[in-house]
């Protein structure tokens, strides 16, 4: 079993829909949780960053962490065609030398 | 501020050839790493470094060598390329600090190097 599980999709939604992307993990020591967005043939870029549990909102994007369930989510409101990309969850333990573990990525397509 | 710069962007090699993928960052990050990304496999860590002169293996280190002589540079060497090393390679770096502030400790990626081994 992988440390981080993520449905690869693809997920296809109409423009304006609310999108929910999720990851589960098995390592209870993970403290830092990140979402990266990767456009086709580009490098991943950081979208959201959360330390420990709770919610974080940035414009149309909301990240949630539920450590009791070992489950993290990214919500995209009013989705746009420009949101079409692969979304990777990532997480790591606390401590400066800890490696980052990535989910496989979910490919999202927002149809105009 | 260029961030993380990778060269070359594209490379085609024949089996058995050697080459070096270059990575440079100008953010004074202590931590640098190399990932490969393959369809259905996601990002897998090859090697990483926490400072000049310090390197360690990741999840898939076989067939790759690294060294870290300066804070800025972290080259990845393929000594004898194999078709199984056909992939997209990403270099990523981050600060090693104990802070929890936004943006702290998160990886910044380069644009990638697409390698084909025939």
């Amino acid at each position: 079993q992988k440390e981080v599980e993520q449905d690869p999709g693809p997920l296809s939604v109409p423009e304006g829909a609310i999108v929910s992307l999720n990851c589960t993990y098995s390592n209870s020591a993970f403290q830092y949780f990140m979402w990266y967005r990767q456009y086709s043939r580009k490098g991943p870029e950081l979208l959201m960053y959360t330390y420990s549990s709770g919610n974080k909102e940035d414009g149309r994007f909301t990240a949630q962490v539920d450590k009791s369930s070992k489950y993290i989510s990214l919500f995209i409101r009013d989705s746009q065609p420009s949101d079409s990309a692969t979304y990777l969850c990532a997480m790591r333990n606390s401590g400066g030398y800890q490696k980052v573990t990535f989910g496989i990525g979910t490919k999202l397509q927002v149809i105009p | 501020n260029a961030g993380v710069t990778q060269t070359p962007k594209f490379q085609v090699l024949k089996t058995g050839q050697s080459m070096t993928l270059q990575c440079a960052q100008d953010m004074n990050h202590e931590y640098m790493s190399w990932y490969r990304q393959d369809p259905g496999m996601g990002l897998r860590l090859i090697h990483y470094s926490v400072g000049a002169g310090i390197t360690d293996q990741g999840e898939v280190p076989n067939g790759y060598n690294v060294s870290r002589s300066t804070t800025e540079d972290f080259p990845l060497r393929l000594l004898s390329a194999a078709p199984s090393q056909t992939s997209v390679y990403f270099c990523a770096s981050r600060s090693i600090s104990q802070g929890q502030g936004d943006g702290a400790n998160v990886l910044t990626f380069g644009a990638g190097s697409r390698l084909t081994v025939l």
Side-chain angles (χ1 to χ4, degrees):
Chain A
Q1 184 187 4
K2 293 182 180 179
E3 265 192 311
V4 178
E5 298 280 357
Q6 184 177 13
D7 188 334
L11 180 62
S12 185
V13 301
E15 182 176 355
I18 296 174
V19 176
S20 173
L21 304 168
N22 311 294
C23 289
T24 59
Y25 63 95
S26 57
N27 187 344
S28 58
F30 285 146
Q31 291 278 13
Y32 291 88
F33 303 92
M34 293 145 280
W35 286 96
Y36 284 82
R37 178 175 60 195
Q38 185 177 21
Y39 291 114
S40 181
R41 294 181 172 265
K42 301 290 186 183
E45 56 180 350
L46 181 71
L47 195 59
M48 301 281 287
Y49 164 79
T50 308
Y51 174 74
S52 193
S53 285
N55 296 355
K56 188 172 186 178
E57 188 173 321
D58 184 2
R60 295 185 295 111
F61 299 89
T62 300
Q64 289 184 351
V65 175
D66 181 349
K67 293 189 71 180
S68 63
S69 302
K70 298 191 182 67
Y71 188 88
I72 71 170
S73 301
L74 177 71
F75 297 97
I76 308 174
R77 291 182 299 279
D78 188 26
S79 56
Q80 302 295 309
S82 59
D83 295 327
S84 297
T86 296
Y87 291 80
L88 302 111
C89 63
M91 47 200 81
R92 69 173 181 87
N93 298 2
S94 60
Y97 298 92
Q98 298 300 321
K99 293 172 281 187
V100 178
T101 301
F102 285 85
I104 198 171
T106 300
K107 187 170 185 178
L108 172 68
Q109 183 178 16
V110 181
I111 302 169
Chain B
N1 188 349
V4 178
T5 303
Q6 290 184 234
T7 56
K9 286 185 169 35
F10 302 94
Q11 183 71 50
V12 178
L13 291 178
K14 293 181 180 178
T15 297
Q17 287 185 317
S18 63
M19 79 156 298
T20 299
L21 299 177
Q22 301 290 347
C23 176
Q25 52 91 11
D26 61 0
M27 297 171 284
N28 204 31
H29 284 169
E30 302 93 336
Y31 183 98
M32 295 186 74
S33 54
W34 278 101
Y35 288 85
R36 59 178 290 173
Q37 188 175 41
D38 304 288
M41 303 294 290
L43 284 163
R44 293 183 291 170
L45 182 64
I46 304 172
H47 285 286
Y48 67 99
S49 168
V50 298
I54 306 169
T55 64
D56 205 348
Q57 296 181 350
E59 183 184 356
V60 287
N62 292 341
Y64 307 95
N65 280 355
V66 292
S67 61
R68 183 99 179 266
S69 57
T70 67
T71 300
E72 295 79 18
D73 300 297
F74 190 44
L76 179 72
R77 298 182 185 86
L78 285 72
L79 298 179
S80 180
S84 61
Q85 294 178 304
T86 294
S87 187
V88 181
Y89 292 85
F90 289 100
C91 180
S93 72
R94 66 178 175 88
S95 171
I96 298 178
S97 72
Q98 299 305 312
Q100 301 163 11
D102 284 354
N105 309 303
V106 294
L107 285 170
T108 299
F109 282 84
S113 297
R114 190 171 295 267
L115 175 66
T116 301
V117 182
L118 302 175

